[in-house]
Amino acid sequence: MGVVSNKIERENLKPGDHIYSWRLAYAYSHHGIYVNKGNVIHFTRGEGQEIGTGTALDNIIGSSLPQHPLENPCPICGDESRRDGVISSCIDCFLSGGDLYRYEYGVTPAFFLAKARGGTCTLAVSESEEQVIHRAFYFLRKGFGVYHVMKNNCEDFALCCKTGLKVIPTVKVGQSGQAVSFQAAASFQAAGVFLSVPLAYLGRSSPLAYAATSVGSLAASYGTYCVNRYINDIGVRQDVMRVVLEE
């Protein structure tokens, strides 16, 4: 694994690994905790359930559950099309035809920023395999709250299992790297960073000056995006609390 890809083979999986698989042509990824013998515990919303963001994500992100035909359910998991919350699935159902990737913990700031796509690594350090698996099974029994794509999603669940940390409920975005990336990208696009400044120069500047301004704006935008990702990583931010497991 490295900066380019976190893709791994199944035989390299270890209990307690945080794994993920891309969905919808790499539009988003689904995350879970590999526990043992081909089983994955993950957090999902069932088919047809709203995620309540009020954004275009509601139309893009579908159910994370495997889409087996009703007449041909998984021989191990059965029909999962109506299940929701924290569930246990075989790895084939979890991947739903996608490739397997492993989330990286304890990376350096340089490595973190080199990963342009959020939701693949964190500066936070993972706790022991035993603690991770214990939390995953605890949430399987007790639940992980109501699914929300920006505040409480499958990546939030896996990060909490691995670190024992969770962002306080009052914030707008949870610890999910994907959610932070979506928010950071939307921030500078909404501000018109890509267009407003370059177009202002178009009518009164030379092509060279316009190109230089465009490149400068792009660099500034990407810098803002990287800073937002970094300061919102669970390994850096301060608005987190340690989760207490109560039986």
Side-chain angles (χ1 to χ4, degrees):
M1 294 193 296
V3 173
V4 177
S5 175
N6 290 358
K7 188 175 179 180
I8 62 167
E9 300 300 327
R10 295 189 188 193
E11 56 266 27
N12 295 324
L13 276 177
K14 297 178 293 184
D17 276 348
H18 173 173
I19 61 176
Y20 63 96
S21 182
W22 293 102
R23 299 282 200 269
L24 198 64
Y26 294 91
Y28 68 102
S29 54
H30 185 53
H31 297 244
I33 298 295
Y34 179 76
V35 287
N36 57 27
K37 299 179 181 178
N39 295 316
V40 182
I41 295 178
H42 53 122
F43 183 43
T44 184
R45 68 184 187 97
E47 183 179 0
Q49 294 186 17
E50 297 298 328
I51 52 179
T53 66
T55 70
L57 290 175
D58 289 350
N59 299 320
I60 295 174
I61 300 180
S63 172
S64 300
L65 293 171
Q67 300 302 309
H68 289 293
L70 293 178
E71 67 276 7
N72 186 32
C74 172
I76 299 174
C77 304
D79 178 17
E80 293 194 314
S81 62
R82 296 293 176 183
R83 298 177 67 191
D84 68 287
V86 181
I87 65 174
S88 177
S89 303
C90 70
I91 194 165
D92 287 321
C93 284
F94 172 81
L95 294 175
S96 196
D99 291 325
L100 174 64
Y101 298 82
R102 181 161 56 203
Y103 205 96
E104 297 190 60
Y105 283 78
V107 303
T108 65
F111 186 95
F112 179 84
L113 294 174
K115 286 274 196 179
R117 187 73 181 265
T120 59
C121 63
T122 177
L123 286 82
V125 176
S126 171
E127 296 192 337
S128 70
E129 169 191 322
E130 292 75 18
Q131 289 172 302
V132 174
I133 293 175
H134 175 68
R135 286 194 194 97
F137 277 104
Y138 174 86
F139 292 132
L140 181 62
R141 298 192 308 272
K142 301 289 188 176
F144 194 68
V146 178
Y147 189 101
H148 189 286
V149 72
M150 297 300 286
K151 296 182 179 181
N152 198 46
N153 60 37
C154 56
E155 187 184 348
D156 292 303
F157 164 78
L159 283 164
C160 184
C161 288
K162 291 286 282 185
T163 66
L165 300 174
K166 199 171 189 301
V167 172
I168 59 176
T170 55
V171 300
K172 293 181 179 179
V173 179
Q175 61 258 43
S176 162
Q178 289 188 95
V180 169
S181 291
F182 286 140
Q183 185 192 51
S187 317
F188 61 72
Q189 286 178 355
V193 177
F194 285 119
L195 295 176
S196 60
V197 175
L199 289 180
Y201 280 85
L202 183 59
R204 62 178 188 272
S205 300
S206 67
L208 182 59
Y210 174 69
T213 305
S214 299
V215 171
S217 297
L218 181 60
S221 300
Y222 185 68
T224 301
Y225 169 79
C226 289
V227 168
N228 280 330
R229 279 189 57 225
Y230 180 82
I231 64 176
N232 282 289
D233 181 73
I234 194 171
V236 175
R237 61 195 293 175
Q238 300 298 310
D239 55 350
V240 295
M241 59 184 183
R242 179 154 292 277
V243 174
V244 177
L245 307 184
E246 298 179 352
E247 294 294 346

